[in-house]
Amino acid sequence: MSYPATRMLAMLELLQAHHGLGGRDLAQRLGVDERTVRRYAARLAELGIPVAAERGRYGGYQLMPGYKLPPLMLTDDEATAVVLGLLAGRRLGLAAEATEAALAKIRRVLPAMLREQVGALEETLDFTLAERAAPTPASRAVLTLAAAIRDRRRVTLRYRSWKGSQTERELDGHGLVFHSGRWYVTGHDHRSGEIRTFRVDRISSVVPGTASYEIPEESDPVRQVTASLAQVPYAHIVEVILHVPLAEAARRIPPSVATLTETPDGVLLRTRAESLDGMAAMLAGLGFPFTILSPHELRTAVRRLAQCLLEQTLE
């Protein structure tokens, strides 16, 4: 590659890494004069890479949004950081198909030595995070919701409930939350008149409207999502008193599992469960003394678990 072409690509890399650079600064970094910098900018524009030049004492050059994506140029450290982010995203269940496609593209363009090093990292790296396999929502729905929330624009959703029924809702979004492999959006639902949480993978369409709104200062999307997950309508409503301080219980029991309330008798754990045998195992695993308030059948499940453990110990 000729030196002018090399310097022109170096200029592109500098503009990608900085919001804007002055002509004199660019010239010094590239080892050329300012007139040559202007010529490089014009040549990049001819190639479809939108470089904007602002004249004057405080003018300079910057990349502007265009119809074509400029060739992405990454240093070795930057490429490694991108690969690590994609590997972590794959583990979390973030856009699995898109993640694999992006990893494949980056692998193809890495220099041979760096490609081998990154490949070794991918083969040997492991996570303490449990692998997630969950439905991935359409990227367009996520991006549309994010833009609407940022701009405080009401949206109309087509939503499928967990029972399969389809509804149309107007939502004043408060935030997007990624939790346990799934995307959620929370906000004021005009159909119910309440703050609600919706799984984004169950949204079939999002149409931004013109109505605007304000997000309440006390809004906490993460807390709202985790609290709503603890109220999922499973078969049994469970209430148990944990005989430990609230802070200790909160360290072991996340808000998405149960609500915890301090009472004179201890910490009231309130949640829902589909399987009472599973709930009995969870309570036993906590290692806290507890008193079951409801349902009565949970006491039978706990006794059954205790008997099973006793028999296994005797064997």
Side-chain angles (χ1 to χ4, degrees):
M1 185 182 293
S2 65
Y3 285 114
T6 302
R7 286 194 289 265
M8 189 168 66
L9 290 175
M11 176 175 167
L12 175 58
E13 184 176 2
L14 286 169
L15 292 176
Q16 286 180 331
H18 299 83
H19 178 67
L21 288 172
R24 181 177 299 177
D25 190 6
L26 272 172
Q28 290 176 347
R29 292 175 185 236
L30 297 172
V32 298
D33 56 36
E34 292 187 52
R35 186 163 67 176
T36 303
V37 170
R38 289 195 292 272
R39 188 165 66 249
Y40 289 167
R43 179 58 180 154
L44 288 170
E46 290 173 3
L47 294 172
I49 299 171
V51 178
E54 187 175 342
R55 298 185 179 277
R57 181 178 178 183
Y58 300 104
Y61 299 85
Q62 62 178 331
L63 287 176
M64 298 295 290
Y67 292 105
K68 297 180 181 179
L69 180 69
L72 190 61
M73 303 172 67
L74 300 172
T75 65
D76 288 0
D77 287 346
E78 291 168 345
T80 303
V82 170
V83 171
L84 282 171
L86 289 170
L87 292 176
R90 180 173 65 184
R91 185 72 173 193
L92 289 168
L94 280 166
E97 292 183 8
T99 297
E100 292 301 329
L103 275 169
K105 288 179 180 179
I106 290 180
R107 289 191 198 102
R108 281 197 296 270
V109 299
L110 289 176
M113 182 176 294
L114 183 58
R115 184 166 60 248
E116 283 190 23
Q117 293 171 335
V118 168
L121 176 63
E122 186 174 355
E123 290 177 17
T124 58
L125 179 66
D126 209 342
F127 297 85
T128 57
L129 293 168
E131 193 165 4
R132 303 289 184 181
T136 301
S139 297
R140 179 51 50 196
V142 173
L143 295 175
T144 302
L145 285 167
I149 294 169
R150 179 198 60 196
D151 298 336
R152 308 295 194 265
R153 294 293 177 187
R154 187 172 301 161
V155 296
T156 300
L157 307 177
R158 289 289 300 170
Y159 188 72
R160 174 179 53 83
S161 74
W162 65 278
K163 293 181 178 179
S165 59
Q166 296 277 349
T167 56
E168 184 173 284
R169 299 169 178 271
E170 289 189 326
L171 181 73
D172 297 346
H174 292 179
L176 285 163
V177 177
F178 183 78
H179 174 73
S180 295
R182 289 191 172 95
W183 286 91
Y184 298 88
V185 61
T186 182
H188 179 76
D189 171 36
H190 287 264
R191 179 185 175 95
S192 65
E194 300 175 349
I195 302 298
R196 296 287 302 276
T197 295
F198 301 95
R199 271 177 49 177
V200 180
D201 62 282
R202 290 179 177 163
I203 295 174
S204 58
S205 68
V206 185
V207 180
T210 57
S212 61
Y213 61 93
E214 294 296 326
I215 298 178
E217 290 185 8
E218 67 274 13
S219 174
D220 186 340
V222 170
R223 180 168 55 82
Q224 171 62 28
V225 168
T226 54
S228 66
L229 290 176
Q231 301 300 318
V232 171
Y234 291 135
H236 305 281
I237 298 176
V238 175
E239 292 187 330
V240 174
I241 294 291
L242 304 176
H243 300 290
V244 293
L246 178 60
E248 187 174 351
R251 279 195 295 269
R252 297 289 304 278
I253 305 168
S256 58
V257 171
T259 59
L260 302 175
T261 307
E262 194 166 19
T263 72
D265 298 325
V267 176
L268 173 62
L269 178 152
R270 195 173 193 276
T271 187
R272 291 175 179 263
E274 194 66 31
S275 167
L276 291 180
D277 288 335
M279 178 55 59
M282 189 204 85
L283 290 170
L286 291 174
F288 301 149
F290 59 88
T291 301
I292 296 171
L293 301 181
S294 66
H296 180 77
E297 293 81 4
L298 180 56
R299 299 178 186 179
T300 303
V302 169
R303 292 191 186 101
R304 187 164 52 243
L305 174 63
Q307 183 63 35
C308 180
L309 292 174
L310 181 61
E311 291 173 358
Q312 291 177 355
T313 303
L314 291 176
E315 292 176 1

